[in-house]
mmCIF file of all heavy atoms in Angstrom:
data_model
loop_
_atom_site.group_PDB
_atom_site.id
_atom_site.type_symbol
_atom_site.label_atom_id
_atom_site.label_comp_id
_atom_site.label_asym_id
_atom_site.label_seq_id
_atom_site.Cartn_x
_atom_site.Cartn_y
_atom_site.Cartn_z
ATOM 1 N N TYR A 1 78.322 22.302 82.315
ATOM 2 C CA TYR A 1 79.525 22.076 81.529
ATOM 3 C C TYR A 1 80.763 21.975 82.410
ATOM 4 O O TYR A 1 81.674 21.201 82.110
ATOM 5 C CB TYR A 1 79.698 23.192 80.482
ATOM 6 C CG TYR A 1 78.710 23.087 79.367
ATOM 7 C CD1 TYR A 1 77.703 24.026 79.211
ATOM 8 C CD2 TYR A 1 78.784 22.042 78.458
ATOM 9 C CE1 TYR A 1 76.786 23.926 78.177
ATOM 10 C CE2 TYR A 1 77.872 21.935 77.429
ATOM 11 C CZ TYR A 1 76.887 22.877 77.293
ATOM 12 O OH TYR A 1 75.989 22.765 76.277
ATOM 13 N N TRP A 2 80.822 22.716 83.482
ATOM 14 C CA TRP A 2 82.006 22.675 84.331
ATOM 15 C C TRP A 2 82.139 21.318 85.036
ATOM 16 O O TRP A 2 83.246 20.868 85.310
ATOM 17 C CB TRP A 2 82.009 23.835 85.329
ATOM 18 C CG TRP A 2 80.898 23.785 86.336
ATOM 19 C CD1 TRP A 2 79.648 24.298 86.227
ATOM 20 C CD2 TRP A 2 80.955 23.164 87.623
ATOM 21 N NE1 TRP A 2 78.914 24.053 87.352
ATOM 22 C CE2 TRP A 2 79.698 23.349 88.234
ATOM 23 C CE3 TRP A 2 81.942 22.476 88.318
ATOM 24 C CZ2 TRP A 2 79.406 22.866 89.501
ATOM 25 C CZ3 TRP A 2 81.656 21.999 89.584
ATOM 26 C CH2 TRP A 2 80.392 22.194 90.161
ATOM 27 N N ILE A 3 81.021 20.644 85.303
ATOM 28 C CA ILE A 3 81.090 19.308 85.906
ATOM 29 C C ILE A 3 81.628 18.309 84.879
ATOM 30 O O ILE A 3 82.444 17.448 85.205
ATOM 31 C CB ILE A 3 79.708 18.877 86.441
ATOM 32 C CG1 ILE A 3 79.325 19.764 87.621
ATOM 33 C CG2 ILE A 3 79.710 17.412 86.846
ATOM 34 C CD1 ILE A 3 77.936 19.519 88.155
ATOM 35 N N LEU A 4 81.189 18.440 83.640
ATOM 36 C CA LEU A 4 81.703 17.567 82.585
ATOM 37 C C LEU A 4 83.192 17.793 82.368
ATOM 38 O O LEU A 4 83.962 16.837 82.224
ATOM 39 C CB LEU A 4 80.932 17.811 81.289
ATOM 40 C CG LEU A 4 81.340 16.977 80.085
ATOM 41 C CD1 LEU A 4 81.146 15.500 80.363
ATOM 42 C CD2 LEU A 4 80.550 17.400 78.865
ATOM 43 N N ILE A 5 83.617 19.041 82.373
ATOM 44 C CA ILE A 5 85.040 19.355 82.223
ATOM 45 C C ILE A 5 85.830 18.798 83.396
ATOM 46 O O ILE A 5 86.902 18.203 83.214
ATOM 47 C CB ILE A 5 85.237 20.877 82.076
ATOM 48 C CG1 ILE A 5 84.675 21.350 80.740
ATOM 49 C CG2 ILE A 5 86.697 21.251 82.208
ATOM 50 C CD1 ILE A 5 84.601 22.846 80.602
ATOM 51 N N LEU A 6 85.320 18.963 84.608
ATOM 52 C CA LEU A 6 85.995 18.437 85.786
ATOM 53 C C LEU A 6 86.064 16.915 85.756
ATOM 54 O O LEU A 6 87.092 16.321 86.085
ATOM 55 C CB LEU A 6 85.276 18.912 87.055
ATOM 56 C CG LEU A 6 85.932 18.531 88.376
ATOM 57 C CD1 LEU A 6 87.287 19.198 88.500
ATOM 58 C CD2 LEU A 6 85.030 18.910 89.541
ATOM 59 N N PHE A 7 84.976 16.270 85.329
ATOM 60 C CA PHE A 7 84.957 14.813 85.213
ATOM 61 C C PHE A 7 86.033 14.336 84.248
ATOM 62 O O PHE A 7 86.812 13.430 84.557
ATOM 63 C CB PHE A 7 83.573 14.351 84.744
ATOM 64 C CG PHE A 7 83.470 12.875 84.474
ATOM 65 C CD1 PHE A 7 83.265 11.989 85.518
ATOM 66 C CD2 PHE A 7 83.575 12.379 83.186
ATOM 67 C CE1 PHE A 7 83.163 10.624 85.283
ATOM 68 C CE2 PHE A 7 83.477 11.029 82.939
ATOM 69 C CZ PHE A 7 83.275 10.144 83.992
ATOM 70 N N ASN A 8 86.075 14.938 83.067
ATOM 71 C CA ASN A 8 87.079 14.525 82.083
ATOM 72 C C ASN A 8 88.486 14.860 82.529
ATOM 73 O O ASN A 8 89.414 14.086 82.294
ATOM 74 C CB ASN A 8 86.781 15.140 80.723
ATOM 75 C CG ASN A 8 85.746 14.355 79.964
ATOM 76 O OD1 ASN A 8 85.708 13.136 80.061
ATOM 77 N ND2 ASN A 8 84.894 15.038 79.235
ATOM 78 N N LEU A 9 88.667 16.005 83.151
ATOM 79 C CA LEU A 9 89.994 16.379 83.626
ATOM 80 C C LEU A 9 90.480 15.425 84.701
ATOM 81 O O LEU A 9 91.604 14.934 84.660
ATOM 82 C CB LEU A 9 89.973 17.814 84.164
ATOM 83 C CG LEU A 9 91.306 18.333 84.704
ATOM 84 C CD1 LEU A 9 92.282 18.511 83.560
ATOM 85 C CD2 LEU A 9 91.100 19.628 85.436
ATOM 86 N N LEU A 10 89.613 15.131 85.642
ATOM 87 C CA LEU A 10 89.991 14.269 86.747
ATOM 88 C C LEU A 10 90.206 12.833 86.304
ATOM 89 O O LEU A 10 91.230 12.225 86.615
ATOM 90 C CB LEU A 10 88.910 14.339 87.843
ATOM 91 C CG LEU A 10 89.209 13.560 89.109
ATOM 92 C CD1 LEU A 10 90.393 14.181 89.833
ATOM 93 C CD2 LEU A 10 87.987 13.531 90.004
ATOM 94 N N PHE A 11 89.271 12.285 85.547
ATOM 95 C CA PHE A 11 89.339 10.873 85.191
ATOM 96 C C PHE A 11 90.128 10.593 83.918
ATOM 97 O O PHE A 11 90.312 9.442 83.552
ATOM 98 C CB PHE A 11 87.933 10.285 85.068
ATOM 99 C CG PHE A 11 87.265 10.123 86.389
ATOM 100 C CD1 PHE A 11 86.305 11.025 86.815
ATOM 101 C CD2 PHE A 11 87.621 9.082 87.234
ATOM 102 C CE1 PHE A 11 85.695 10.882 88.043
ATOM 103 C CE2 PHE A 11 87.015 8.929 88.460
ATOM 104 C CZ PHE A 11 86.043 9.831 88.872
ATOM 105 N N THR A 12 90.577 11.623 83.228
ATOM 106 C CA THR A 12 91.389 11.406 82.040
ATOM 107 C C THR A 12 92.858 11.717 82.285
ATOM 108 O O THR A 12 93.714 11.166 81.626
ATOM 109 C CB THR A 12 90.868 12.265 80.873
ATOM 110 O OG1 THR A 12 89.489 11.980 80.686
ATOM 111 C CG2 THR A 12 91.592 11.962 79.590
ATOM 112 N N SER A 13 93.150 12.560 83.245
ATOM 113 C CA SER A 13 94.550 12.926 83.448
ATOM 114 C C SER A 13 95.189 12.257 84.655
ATOM 115 O O SER A 13 96.306 11.764 84.563
ATOM 116 C CB SER A 13 94.676 14.450 83.577
ATOM 117 O OG SER A 13 93.956 14.897 84.713
ATOM 118 N N VAL A 14 94.509 12.211 85.762
ATOM 119 C CA VAL A 14 95.128 11.714 86.994
ATOM 120 C C VAL A 14 95.434 10.211 86.953
ATOM 121 O O VAL A 14 96.569 9.815 87.212
ATOM 122 C CB VAL A 14 94.261 12.092 88.222
ATOM 123 C CG1 VAL A 14 94.836 11.499 89.485
ATOM 124 C CG2 VAL A 14 94.160 13.602 88.342
ATOM 125 N N PRO A 15 94.477 9.336 86.615
ATOM 126 C CA PRO A 15 94.801 7.903 86.608
ATOM 127 C C PRO A 15 95.915 7.508 85.635
ATOM 128 O O PRO A 15 96.790 6.722 86.009
ATOM 129 C CB PRO A 15 93.476 7.232 86.239
ATOM 130 C CG PRO A 15 92.446 8.187 86.708
ATOM 131 C CD PRO A 15 93.031 9.539 86.467
ATOM 132 N N PRO A 16 95.955 8.028 84.398
ATOM 133 C CA PRO A 16 97.081 7.654 83.536
ATOM 134 C C PRO A 16 98.435 8.105 84.075
ATOM 135 O O PRO A 16 99.425 7.391 83.927
ATOM 136 C CB PRO A 16 96.775 8.350 82.208
ATOM 137 C CG PRO A 16 95.316 8.533 82.209
ATOM 138 C CD PRO A 16 94.936 8.770 83.628
ATOM 139 N N ILE A 17 98.484 9.270 84.699
ATOM 140 C CA ILE A 17 99.756 9.731 85.259
ATOM 141 C C ILE A 17 100.194 8.825 86.405
ATOM 142 O O ILE A 17 101.342 8.373 86.453
ATOM 143 C CB ILE A 17 99.638 11.203 85.721
ATOM 144 C CG1 ILE A 17 99.490 12.119 84.517
ATOM 145 C CG2 ILE A 17 100.849 11.598 86.552
ATOM 146 C CD1 ILE A 17 99.145 13.539 84.864
ATOM 147 N N ILE A 18 99.292 8.533 87.313
ATOM 148 C CA ILE A 18 99.628 7.663 88.443
ATOM 149 C C ILE A 18 99.989 6.269 87.946
ATOM 150 O O ILE A 18 100.981 5.679 88.369
ATOM 151 C CB ILE A 18 98.460 7.614 89.446
ATOM 152 C CG1 ILE A 18 98.304 8.974 90.119
ATOM 153 C CG2 ILE A 18 98.681 6.531 90.492
ATOM 154 C CD1 ILE A 18 97.070 9.094 90.969
ATOM 155 N N TYR A 19 99.189 5.744 87.016
ATOM 156 C CA TYR A 19 99.434 4.405 86.492
ATOM 157 C C TYR A 19 100.747 4.347 85.725
ATOM 158 O O TYR A 19 101.505 3.386 85.840
ATOM 159 C CB TYR A 19 98.263 3.995 85.598
ATOM 160 C CG TYR A 19 98.288 2.545 85.193
ATOM 161 C CD1 TYR A 19 97.883 1.563 86.081
ATOM 162 C CD2 TYR A 19 98.712 2.160 83.937
ATOM 163 C CE1 TYR A 19 97.905 0.236 85.727
ATOM 164 C CE2 TYR A 19 98.737 0.835 83.569
ATOM 165 C CZ TYR A 19 98.332 -0.119 84.470
ATOM 166 O OH TYR A 19 98.372 -1.438 84.105
ATOM 167 N N GLY A 20 101.023 5.367 84.936
ATOM 168 C CA GLY A 20 102.253 5.387 84.152
ATOM 169 C C GLY A 20 103.505 5.468 84.995
ATOM 170 O O GLY A 20 104.544 4.919 84.648
ATOM 171 N N VAL A 21 103.411 6.152 86.121
ATOM 172 C CA VAL A 21 104.584 6.307 86.980
ATOM 173 C C VAL A 21 104.788 5.089 87.876
ATOM 174 O O VAL A 21 105.913 4.626 88.070
ATOM 175 C CB VAL A 21 104.446 7.591 87.837
ATOM 176 C CG1 VAL A 21 105.523 7.660 88.890
ATOM 177 C CG2 VAL A 21 104.493 8.821 86.959
ATOM 178 N N LEU A 22 103.705 4.547 88.412
ATOM 179 C CA LEU A 22 103.835 3.527 89.447
ATOM 180 C C LEU A 22 103.718 2.088 88.955
ATOM 181 O O LEU A 22 104.184 1.186 89.643
ATOM 182 C CB LEU A 22 102.783 3.770 90.536
ATOM 183 C CG LEU A 22 102.868 5.110 91.254
ATOM 184 C CD1 LEU A 22 101.742 5.237 92.253
ATOM 185 C CD2 LEU A 22 104.214 5.266 91.936
ATOM 186 N N ASP A 23 103.082 1.844 87.818
ATOM 187 C CA ASP A 23 102.802 0.468 87.439
ATOM 188 C C ASP A 23 103.974 -0.198 86.746
ATOM 189 O O ASP A 23 104.456 0.277 85.722
ATOM 190 C CB ASP A 23 101.590 0.397 86.522
ATOM 191 C CG ASP A 23 101.251 -1.030 86.187
ATOM 192 O OD1 ASP A 23 101.014 -1.806 87.121
ATOM 193 O OD2 ASP A 23 101.239 -1.370 84.988
ATOM 194 N N LYS A 24 104.413 -1.276 87.321
ATOM 195 C CA LYS A 24 105.419 -2.153 86.727
ATOM 196 C C LYS A 24 105.001 -3.563 87.109
ATOM 197 O O LYS A 24 105.236 -4.003 88.224
ATOM 198 C CB LYS A 24 106.802 -1.822 87.247
ATOM 199 C CG LYS A 24 107.265 -0.447 86.822
ATOM 200 C CD LYS A 24 108.579 -0.077 87.438
ATOM 201 C CE LYS A 24 108.933 1.319 86.995
ATOM 202 N NZ LYS A 24 110.011 1.891 87.748
ATOM 203 N N ASP A 25 104.344 -4.257 86.178
ATOM 204 C CA ASP A 25 103.789 -5.564 86.509
ATOM 205 C C ASP A 25 104.855 -6.603 86.823
ATOM 206 O O ASP A 25 104.633 -7.507 87.610
ATOM 207 C CB ASP A 25 102.862 -6.046 85.397
ATOM 208 C CG ASP A 25 103.572 -6.205 84.074
ATOM 209 O OD1 ASP A 25 104.604 -5.553 83.861
ATOM 210 O OD2 ASP A 25 103.073 -6.981 83.232
ATOM 211 N N VAL A 26 106.021 -6.483 86.203
ATOM 212 C CA VAL A 26 107.136 -7.399 86.444
ATOM 213 C C VAL A 26 108.383 -6.535 86.590
ATOM 214 O O VAL A 26 108.542 -5.530 85.904
ATOM 215 C CB VAL A 26 107.298 -8.385 85.268
ATOM 216 C CG1 VAL A 26 108.426 -9.357 85.514
ATOM 217 C CG2 VAL A 26 106.011 -9.138 85.004
ATOM 218 N N SER A 27 109.273 -6.932 87.482
ATOM 219 C CA SER A 27 110.480 -6.132 87.705
ATOM 220 C C SER A 27 111.413 -6.193 86.490
ATOM 221 O O SER A 27 111.352 -7.125 85.682
ATOM 222 C CB SER A 27 111.219 -6.624 88.949
ATOM 223 O OG SER A 27 111.785 -7.891 88.705
ATOM 224 N N ALA A 28 112.270 -5.212 86.389
ATOM 225 C CA ALA A 28 113.200 -5.128 85.261
ATOM 226 C C ALA A 28 114.160 -6.312 85.237
ATOM 227 O O ALA A 28 114.515 -6.811 84.160
ATOM 228 C CB ALA A 28 113.979 -3.820 85.334
ATOM 229 N N GLU A 29 114.571 -6.779 86.392
ATOM 230 C CA GLU A 29 115.513 -7.908 86.459
ATOM 231 C C GLU A 29 114.892 -9.175 85.879
ATOM 232 O O GLU A 29 115.537 -9.911 85.128
ATOM 233 C CB GLU A 29 115.957 -8.157 87.905
ATOM 234 C CG GLU A 29 116.783 -7.037 88.514
ATOM 235 C CD GLU A 29 115.944 -5.871 89.016
ATOM 236 O OE1 GLU A 29 114.726 -6.064 89.299
ATOM 237 O OE2 GLU A 29 116.483 -4.756 89.092
ATOM 238 N N ILE A 30 113.635 -9.428 86.212
ATOM 239 C CA ILE A 30 112.955 -10.627 85.695
ATOM 240 C C ILE A 30 112.740 -10.509 84.189
ATOM 241 O O ILE A 30 112.912 -11.476 83.451
ATOM 242 C CB ILE A 30 111.624 -10.863 86.441
ATOM 243 C CG1 ILE A 30 111.910 -11.238 87.895
ATOM 244 C CG2 ILE A 30 110.793 -11.933 85.765
ATOM 245 C CD1 ILE A 30 110.683 -11.363 88.764
ATOM 246 N N LEU A 31 112.385 -9.325 83.722
ATOM 247 C CA LEU A 31 112.184 -9.137 82.284
ATOM 248 C C LEU A 31 113.481 -9.330 81.507
ATOM 249 O O LEU A 31 113.453 -9.824 80.369
ATOM 250 C CB LEU A 31 111.603 -7.752 82.009
ATOM 251 C CG LEU A 31 110.144 -7.557 82.408
ATOM 252 C CD1 LEU A 31 109.749 -6.105 82.295
ATOM 253 C CD2 LEU A 31 109.238 -8.432 81.566
ATOM 254 N N MET A 32 114.597 -8.944 82.085
ATOM 255 C CA MET A 32 115.886 -9.149 81.412
ATOM 256 C C MET A 32 116.281 -10.629 81.417
ATOM 257 O O MET A 32 116.895 -11.112 80.467
ATOM 258 C CB MET A 32 116.976 -8.321 82.087
ATOM 259 C CG MET A 32 116.830 -6.839 81.891
ATOM 260 S SD MET A 32 117.050 -6.315 80.193
ATOM 261 C CE MET A 32 118.807 -6.370 80.065
ATOM 262 N N GLN A 33 115.914 -11.350 82.461
ATOM 263 C CA GLN A 33 116.256 -12.773 82.543
ATOM 264 C C GLN A 33 115.340 -13.637 81.680
ATOM 265 O O GLN A 33 115.752 -14.688 81.199
ATOM 266 C CB GLN A 33 116.174 -13.256 83.991
ATOM 267 C CG GLN A 33 117.252 -12.682 84.880
ATOM 268 C CD GLN A 33 117.028 -13.022 86.346
ATOM 269 O OE1 GLN A 33 116.050 -13.671 86.699
ATOM 270 N NE2 GLN A 33 117.936 -12.572 87.195
ATOM 271 N N LEU A 34 114.091 -13.223 81.500
ATOM 272 C CA LEU A 34 113.106 -14.006 80.739
ATOM 273 C C LEU A 34 112.584 -13.193 79.554
ATOM 274 O O LEU A 34 111.497 -12.607 79.619
ATOM 275 C CB LEU A 34 111.941 -14.418 81.639
ATOM 276 C CG LEU A 34 112.298 -15.250 82.869
ATOM 277 C CD1 LEU A 34 111.104 -15.366 83.786
ATOM 278 C CD2 LEU A 34 112.776 -16.624 82.442
ATOM 279 N N PRO A 35 113.316 -13.136 78.444
ATOM 280 C CA PRO A 35 112.876 -12.339 77.291
ATOM 281 C C PRO A 35 111.550 -12.804 76.698
ATOM 282 O O PRO A 35 110.872 -12.033 76.033
ATOM 283 C CB PRO A 35 114.005 -12.513 76.278
ATOM 284 C CG PRO A 35 115.147 -13.078 77.018
ATOM 285 C CD PRO A 35 114.612 -13.758 78.227
ATOM 286 N N GLN A 36 111.143 -14.046 76.937
ATOM 287 C CA GLN A 36 109.885 -14.532 76.374
ATOM 288 C C GLN A 36 108.673 -13.823 76.970
ATOM 289 O O GLN A 36 107.578 -13.888 76.404
ATOM 290 C CB GLN A 36 109.759 -16.054 76.504
ATOM 291 C CG GLN A 36 109.844 -16.589 77.885
ATOM 292 C CD GLN A 36 111.263 -16.952 78.314
ATOM 293 O OE1 GLN A 36 112.237 -16.408 77.810
ATOM 294 N NE2 GLN A 36 111.374 -17.864 79.253
#
């Protein structure tokens, strides 16, 4: 059970936090210039 808990903790919490903080597919300036 501790391996399952570690698997879910590691693969459910770390990637979304890193992705949420670092991922910006297009810069804010381009998004403001091209609303489409």
Side-chain angles (χ1 to χ4, degrees):
Y1 288 111
W2 65 272
I3 293 175
L4 180 61
I5 291 170
L6 185 64
F7 175 82
N8 278 325
L9 180 69
L10 184 67
F11 288 102
T12 305
S13 62
V14 176
I17 291 171
I18 292 172
Y19 190 78
V21 171
L22 300 178
D23 183 58
K24 294 175 182 167
D25 61 336
V26 181
S27 70
E29 294 80 23
I30 293 174
L31 288 171
M32 291 294 282
Q33 291 172 359
L34 301 170
Q36 58 269 26

